[in-house]
Amino acid sequence: MKDKNNIKIFFYIFIFITFASQILAQENKDNESKSPSEARPPVKGLPFEIDEKKRISEADASKKKEGWFPTGIGGPFSDANNGAGFGGRVFLFNNGKRTDPFFEYTPYRHRFFLNLSNTTRNAQYHWLDWDAPYIFDTKWRARANMIYDRNPNNLFFGV
């Protein structure tokens, strides 16, 4: 019985230290202030004000690609009802140009992705998605998607 209590106490101390260190690390990060000479100049040409906290770091901005580029991932999967399958997702990003005032405030100007998957029991899931933050240089975001889901093996529990 005493060993179980010791394990519980150790577990609670571990959880407390973990969360306390995360909170302190976040506070230290928030409290770091740059001297005026280190501060980045504001971006010119924004059609409306955007909080500087939403701006990506200078290091990330220097690594960010311009224009269109693809990326993707794919692989096998398995499901007890639908059998073995293979699927993949292809992304197409447009980050815009570095001269775009939104370049440092948004992860991309447009993002498309196409998800295709099929299984040995003919369950299919296909998804086309588009996302455009700050569409037409406004505060609005546009999203659209189309999904095709065909699963002849769906289990139905109902009336």
Side-chain angles (χ1 to χ4, degrees):
M1 184 72 166
K2 190 174 182 179
D3 288 339
K4 285 185 178 181
N5 285 337
N6 288 342
I7 291 172
K8 282 183 184 178
I9 290 170
F10 175 77
F11 178 73
Y12 290 135
I13 290 171
F14 176 77
I15 295 295
F16 175 77
I17 290 172
T18 302
F19 284 115
S21 66
Q22 292 296 320
I23 291 169
L24 290 173
Q26 183 62 41
E27 284 179 5
N28 289 339
K29 187 177 180 184
D30 292 341
N31 290 335
E32 290 176 359
S33 60
K34 294 182 178 180
S35 67
S37 62
E38 293 179 51
R40 293 164 65 188
V43 173
K44 294 180 181 176
L46 286 171
F48 50 88
E49 186 178 340
I50 301 176
D51 191 345
E52 280 296 306
K53 290 179 184 176
K54 295 185 180 206
R55 191 173 177 188
I56 64 175
S57 71
E58 208 165 352
D60 288 342
S62 68
K63 294 179 205 170
K64 190 173 175 183
K65 292 182 180 182
E66 283 186 277
W68 291 93
F69 66 96
T71 185
I73 188 168
F77 59 90
S78 178
D79 181 313
N81 293 326
N82 298 314
F86 191 84
R89 183 175 284 188
V90 177
F91 289 90
L92 182 61
F93 291 97
N94 178 9
N95 286 341
K97 297 186 183 278
R98 290 191 188 283
T99 56
D100 182 359
F102 292 99
F103 190 81
E104 295 184 11
Y105 289 96
T106 183
Y108 44 79
R109 290 302 293 208
H110 295 277
R111 184 220 56 210
F112 293 91
F113 75 75
L114 176 64
N115 185 90
L116 300 170
S117 64
N118 198 0
T119 68
T120 55
R121 294 189 185 152
N122 207 23
Q124 300 176 29
Y125 188 78
H126 311 302
W127 182 7
L128 177 64
D129 189 275
W130 168 66
D131 182 24
Y134 300 117
I135 187 78
F136 304 121
D137 295 343
T138 66
K139 294 180 182 181
W140 296 94
R141 173 182 219 128
R143 287 206 66 183
N145 60 59
M146 295 186 308
I147 297 174
Y148 174 75
D149 186 13
R150 179 179 183 275
N151 189 346
N153 312 305
N154 262 348
L155 300 175
F156 179 73
F157 302 98
V159 180

